[in-house]
């Protein structure tokens, strides 16, 4: 499952970079560029939150 999250995170990051490039070069009309940027950032945030919630907790060796 962690490899799937890695692929999703990479995909959202690549899509963010592509959309930023296309927006900078004015190839996306109107609000489509900013909307896609927000969607990509939301996807990245969702992947990060999922990873943070499901990451196995490691015990501090001093507490044991």
């Amino acid at each position: 499952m962690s490899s799937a999250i890695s692929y999703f995170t990479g995909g959202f990051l690549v899509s963010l970079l592509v959309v930023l490039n296309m927006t900078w070069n004015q190839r996306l009309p109107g609000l489509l560029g900013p909307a896609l940027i927000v969607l990509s950032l939301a996807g990245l945030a969702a992947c990060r939150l999922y990873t943070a919630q499901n990451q196995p907790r490691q015990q501090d060796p001093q507490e044991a």
Side-chain angles (χ1 to χ4, degrees):
M1 184 67 170
S2 64
S3 63
I5 294 300
S6 297
Y7 282 119
F8 276 122
T9 304
F12 281 118
L13 184 59
V14 167
S15 66
L16 177 64
L17 293 173
V18 168
V19 169
L20 283 173
N21 185 29
M22 291 180 73
T23 303
W24 182 263
N25 291 330
Q26 298 177 349
R27 294 187 182 178
L28 294 176
L31 294 176
L32 183 61
L36 290 175
I37 290 171
V38 169
L39 183 66
S40 298
L41 287 174
L44 277 172
C47 288
R48 178 64 182 114
L49 287 174
Y50 179 82
T51 303
Q53 288 177 351
N54 294 329
Q55 184 176 8
R57 306 282 185 229
Q58 293 186 1
Q59 294 254 333
D60 190 8
Q62 295 176 352
E63 291 179 7

